[in-house]
Amino acid sequence: MTAVNPLLSLFKEQLEAECKTLSDHHGLTERGHSLLYWYFNRLHDFMDADVEEVFCDGGGDLGIDALWIDDDELVHFYQFKNPQSIDKGIPTGDVDKVISGLGLILNRKHEAVANPDLKARLEELYQQVPNGYRIHFVSSGAGLAPEAKLKLDTFVTALKGRAADSFIEWDEQPIEILQERFYQHSLPAVKDPLRLDVPVTPYTQRSGIADCYLFSIPGNTLAELYAQHGEGLLQRNIRVDQRDTATNRSIVSAYFTAQATRAAGRGVA
């Protein structure tokens, strides 16, 4: 068995304590429900009423514990697992249930089997044309088995058809990701939107659980932003925790190559 990082074990204990408090406060009897409340309260700043709006777990949930349509009109389907053991992952059978349920939902064949909360969420979904779908598997233990990942890849590929690669995606958020997201969310950062005028439409790319936008802005604009927000502008840089990886080295190399090219163009030795 792989040794567990002691800091991760401490985070698991902290998470267990906070979930116990949520269970007592809301009268929750299912472990997964307390993790669901913790996730949206702590990582998305939801009020309790907001959590209740996305909650649809229970009999007839078709494997979907929560359904959230965000401000960008992306539809998020969630399944939560809150095992007592940090080593226990998400059962492949539960992934099968999600895949089957989504098949019914996307083909609008859920009416006879879905519970009232899920039906209400889906009625809201059917009133609009979403910009994409995200399927999330959240666990306070380990993640998905290779077989489950293969099944999800096959399911998503079949749904994409000719749509853009980012139209429908899945991800897993085991305890390591929850720990990272929790501490990143707790760091001082810029919470209000930064509005920038960019000359060219940003290039969009999906990286893990983040939507990334590549664009250029004048240096003086960046300097003004830094003067206004300080370190908060950098605290949630998604590349910082990647450290000395091949991608980060390529970014640094590209920067210095561009600097050398500009210098050569000006005749600077």
Side-chain angles (χ1 to χ4, degrees), residues 226-268:
Y226 187 80
Q228 180 180 357
H229 300 287
E231 289 295 320
L233 192 65
L234 307 175
Q235 287 289 2
R236 295 187 189 172
N237 184 335
I238 65 170
R239 296 237 51 89
V240 169
D241 66 325
Q242 300 299 309
R243 299 181 177 85
D244 189 28
T245 60
T247 301
N248 276 357
R249 290 195 295 272
S250 295
I251 292 172
V252 173
S253 175
Y255 169 78
F256 284 110
T257 299
Q259 290 285 83
T261 301
R262 284 195 291 272
R266 294 195 301 268
V268 178

Side-chain angles (χ1 to χ4, degrees), residues 21-184:
T21 299
L22 287 168
S23 293
D24 293 343
H25 178 72
H26 295 287
L28 305 174
T29 58
E30 299 288 338
R31 287 180 57 85
H33 294 176
S34 61
L35 180 62
L36 187 157
Y37 267 84
W38 179 90
Y39 181 89
F40 285 108
N41 283 162
R42 299 289 261 161
L43 303 185
H44 288 285
D45 298 322
F46 276 30
M47 303 296 290
D48 289 343
D50 298 324
V51 179
E52 292 170 6
E53 284 295 315
V54 303
F55 185 97
C56 51
D57 191 18
D61 61 17
L62 305 183
I64 309 301
D65 298 334
L67 196 166
W68 173 40
I69 304 173
D70 68 20
D71 292 338
D72 295 321
E73 296 185 348
L74 286 173
V75 180
H76 301 263
F77 298 101
Y78 291 89
Q79 184 178 94
F80 289 87
K81 293 298 175 188
N82 188 15
Q84 291 183 326
S85 172
I86 198 171
D87 298 314
K88 187 175 181 180
I90 300 172
T92 300
D94 289 339
V95 175
D96 291 336
K97 184 178 179 182
V98 172
I99 292 174
S100 176
L102 287 174
L104 293 175
I105 289 168
L106 297 177
N107 288 294
R108 303 196 180 199
K109 296 181 179 180
H110 65 282
E111 189 67 29
V113 291
N115 67 38
D117 287 334
L118 180 57
K119 287 181 183 179
R121 304 291 89 77
L122 293 175
E123 284 305 312
E124 180 185 355
L125 166 60
Y126 294 149
Q127 296 303 314
Q128 57 189 278
V129 178
N131 288 326
Y133 297 90
R134 303 290 182 262
I135 309 166
H136 309 283
F137 293 87
V138 183
S139 171
S140 65
L144 298 167
E147 179 186 357
K149 295 179 182 180
L150 178 59
K151 289 182 176 182
L152 284 165
D153 285 339
T154 302
F155 175 70
V156 166
T157 300
L159 286 177
K160 281 180 180 177
R162 296 184 180 179
D165 284 345
S166 61
F167 184 70
I168 180 166
E169 298 175 342
W170 68 269
D171 67 57
E172 58 178 335
Q173 298 177 42
I175 191 166
E176 294 90 347
I177 298 297
L178 296 184
Q179 180 192 42
E180 177 184 339
R181 291 192 61 185
F182 173 74
Y183 289 118
Q184 287 292 324

